[in-house]
Amino acid sequence: MIDPRRLRELKKLADTLGIKTVGAIDWQLLDQALISPSFSQVFNNDQMEFLGDSVLRLVVTLFITQGFSDRSLGEMAALRSNLVSDQTLAAIAEIYGLDHYMVMSPAARADLNGRQSYLADALEAVLAALYLSTKDFSLICPWLHPHLHRIADQLFAQPALGNFKEALQELTQAHWKSLPEYRMRELDPIAHLFQAEVWLNGCCWGRGEGKNIKAAQQAAAAVALVELQASLPQEKS
Amino acid sequence: MIDPRRLRELKKLADTLGIKTVGAIDWQLLDQALISPSFSQVFNNDQMEFLGDSVLRLVVTLFITQGFSDRSLGEMAALRSNLVSDQTLAAIAEIYGLDHYMVMSPAARADLNGRQSYLADALEAVLAALYLSTKDFSLICPWLHPHLHRIADQLFAQPALGNFKEALQELTQAHWKSLPEYRMRELDPIAHLFQAEVWLNGCCWGRGEGKNIKAAQQAAAAVALVELQASLPQEKS
C-alpha cells in the first residue's frame, strides 16, 4: 500500500501534468518511477527508465511520422535526436518541477552535474509508469505532445527551413559573431555510423549520430539550435 | 486499391506469420512495407522502417522487462542489443522468406552485402504496418515473441549464466581453441559511452554499446555468442 501523504503528492503531480483520467494511473508504479537509485539500490526507477526510453522513442516517432511526413528522413531523424535527448527531457521535467516529487539521496540531489541525467531518467520512468497503467499512450500524449510541437515548431520555424546547420550558423553569427565548430567521430566504420558534436565558445551544445557526416551534423545542429535559442535572453512578446 | 494478385501474396505472408485476425491488417500499409527504396524513391518503406525500429524496440523492451526482470540491467541491455540487431532481424526475416514478398530492383536483390540490411529494414517496416493497423502489438507479439524467447533462452542457457563474456570465452575455446578479442572505442567521453567489438579469426562477430567498458563488452559478447553458435554445425537432436 502507498503512504497517503505520498499519494497526495503524486496526485498533485498528475494534476500538474494535466492528466484528466487519474483513476487509470497505477500509483505504485508512478511512486517507483520517482525513486532514484541513489536512494535505494533495490527498489528504484532504473528498470522503468530502461522501459520508458523505448516508450518515449515510439511516442516521439509516431508524433514525427504523423505530423512531419513531408520532411526528409534526415530531418525526421534530426528532430527525433532532439526530442529524445536528455537535454530536452530534463527541460520538460524542469517545467513540471519533477525533482520536487523525486526521492533521492541528498548527495545525488546536490550533484548539479548529474541533474540533467537524473531528471531525464525520472521523466522516462514516469512515461513507463503511465504506459504500463493503460498499455497505451492515452495518459502521455495529451501533456507531452504540446512540448514536442513547441520544440518541433522552433526547429522548423528557422529561415533555413529544416536545414539545421544553416539555421544554426545564422543564429550563432547573429548573436555570438562566430561559427559553430563540428567535431566528428566515426563510431562504426563497418556500419558507416558517424557522431558529430557542435562546439561554440568552449561548450558542446549538441551531439547527433547519422549514417553519413552530413546527417550526423544535421542531427547535432538540431539539438544545439534549441539549446542555444533557449540560452538567449527572452524577447518580450 | 491494391492489386488482387499482390493481395493474395500478402495474405500468404500473413498466413506464414501465423496471424489469425487477418481482417485487422491494413494491406496497403503492409504492401508499402515491402517496397524497397531501390524500387521507388517516392513510394517505399523508408518512413515505415523509421517507425518500425521504435515499434520493435518497445516490443522487445516490454518482453525483457516482463520476462527477465530478475536480471541485471546490464544483462537486459545486452539482451536488447542482441534482439534489435540487424543480424537477429535478418535471421527472423529469412525464416519467413521475407525477400520473396519484397519489391526491389534486381541490382539491390543481387547485392549480397546489402542483404542483411534490406531484410532487417523490411521486417521493421512490416512491424510498423502491423502496429499501425491496430495501434497495439496484437498482430506482432504472437509470432515475434517465440523468436525472442528462443534467442533469449539460447543466451541465458549458457553455463556462465548471463555472463556473456565468460560464456563466449568457453565457446570459442571449445570450438576454435582461441579467445575472442575485444576492440574498444570511447564513443562519447562526456556521456561515458563505450563501444566494444568482438573479433575472432579476423571477423567481427558482434558489436555493443554500454556506459562502461564492461557493459559494452557484455553487450557485444551477447551478440557474438548467438552468431557463433549459429555458425556451428547443427547437432543431431
Side-chain angles (χ1 to χ4, degrees), chain B residues 55-116:
Chain B
V55 171
L56 172 72
R57 202 177 160 89
L58 183 52
V59 169
V60 163
T61 310
L62 284 166
F63 168 80
I64 293 172
T65 51
Q66 283 158 7
F68 300 90
S69 62
D70 53 331
R71 299 281 172 176
S72 73
L73 264 190
E75 287 174 328
M76 293 168 118
L79 179 57
R80 181 164 72 185
S81 284
N82 185 301
L83 295 176
V84 303
S85 70
D86 273 9
Q87 288 170 332
T88 294
L89 295 183
I92 295 172
E94 294 279 13
I95 291 171
Y96 295 113
L98 205 64
D99 57 331
H100 299 305
Y101 304 94
M102 286 185 68
V103 181
M104 56 200 307
S105 77
R109 196 179 287 275
D111 172 21
L112 291 182
N113 290 326
R115 184 171 176 84
Q116 187 181 80

Side-chain angles (χ1 to χ4, degrees), chain B residues 128-140:
Chain B
L130 297 178
Y131 173 79
L132 290 173
S133 295
T134 58
K135 303 285 192 298
D136 61 29
F137 306 128
S138 59
L139 295 175
I140 295 171

Side-chain angles (χ1 to χ4, degrees), chain A residues 46-47 50-51 53-55 57-58 61-62 69 73 76 80 131 137 185 187-190 195 207, chain B residues 46-47 50-51 53-55 57 61-62 69 73 76 80 131 137 185 187-190 195 207:
Chain A
D46 61 5
Q47 269 196 31
F50 179 75
L51 173 59
D53 167 81
S54 299
V55 171
R57 202 177 159 89
L58 182 52
T61 310
L62 282 166
S69 61
L73 264 191
M76 293 170 123
R80 181 165 71 184
Y131 173 78
F137 307 127
R185 265 197 210 95
L187 295 187
D188 187 336
I190 300 163
Q195 185 189 54
R207 212 170 282 128
Chain B
D46 59 5
Q47 270 196 30
F50 179 74
L51 173 60
D53 169 79
S54 299
V55 171
R57 202 177 160 89
T61 310
L62 284 166
S69 62
L73 264 190
M76 293 168 118
R80 181 164 72 185
Y131 173 79
F137 306 128
R185 268 197 208 94
L187 294 186
D188 186 335
I190 299 163
Q195 186 188 57
R207 214 172 278 129

Side-chain angles (χ1 to χ4, degrees), chain B residues 8-226:
Chain B
R8 277 200 300 279
E9 274 179 17
L10 296 176
K11 285 188 170 167
K12 198 178 146 203
L13 173 59
D15 192 45
T16 307
L17 290 172
I19 295 176
K20 303 268 180 260
T21 49
V22 289
I25 297 173
D26 184 327
W27 300 106
Q28 306 254 19
L29 287 178
L30 188 59
D31 178 37
Q32 189 175 351
L34 293 158
I35 298 174
S36 148
S38 71
F39 180 79
S40 165
Q41 291 212 324
V42 182
F43 188 78
N44 60 45
N45 65 6
D46 59 5
Q47 270 196 30
M48 293 175 78
E49 182 256 323
F50 179 74
L51 173 60
D53 169 79
S54 299
V55 171
L56 172 72
R57 202 177 160 89
L58 183 52
V59 169
V60 163
T61 310
L62 284 166
F63 168 80
I64 293 172
T65 51
Q66 283 158 7
F68 300 90
S69 62
D70 53 331
R71 299 281 172 176
S72 73
L73 264 190
E75 287 174 328
M76 293 168 118
L79 179 57
R80 181 164 72 185
S81 284
N82 185 301
L83 295 176
V84 303
S85 70
D86 273 9
Q87 288 170 332
T88 294
L89 295 183
I92 295 172
E94 294 279 13
I95 291 171
Y96 295 113
L98 205 64
D99 57 331
H100 299 305
Y101 304 94
M102 286 185 68
V103 181
M104 56 200 307
S105 77
R109 196 179 287 275
D111 172 21
L112 291 182
N113 290 326
R115 184 171 176 84
Q116 187 181 80
S117 172
Y118 73 66
L119 283 175
D121 287 354
L123 189 68
E124 286 180 334
V126 165
L127 294 179
L130 297 178
Y131 173 79
L132 290 173
S133 295
T134 58
K135 303 285 192 298
D136 61 29
F137 306 128
S138 59
L139 295 175
I140 295 171
C141 292
W143 60 269
L144 189 61
H145 270 194
H147 296 291
L148 304 182
H149 267 297
R150 174 175 51 78
I151 298 163
D153 286 349
Q154 258 181 291
L155 276 172
F156 288 126
Q158 299 308 312
L161 198 73
N163 184 341
F164 303 122
K165 275 185 75 177
E166 208 176 307
L168 183 64
Q169 184 172 323
E170 284 169 14
L171 184 79
T172 63
Q173 274 186 321
H175 292 277
W176 291 273
K177 313 275 178 241
S178 65
L179 290 176
E181 181 203 336
Y182 291 87
R183 299 190 189 166
M184 301 302 303
R185 268 197 208 94
E186 190 171 7
L187 294 186
D188 186 335
I190 299 163
H192 296 293
L193 192 63
F194 294 86
Q195 186 188 57
E197 287 180 358
V198 179
W199 288 73
L200 185 79
N201 298 336
C203 288
C204 174
W205 291 89
R207 214 172 278 129
E209 296 184 3
K211 291 208 169 178
N212 55 55
I213 290 175
K214 194 182 151 198
Q217 291 184 343
Q218 285 287 350
V223 175
L225 197 56
V226 172

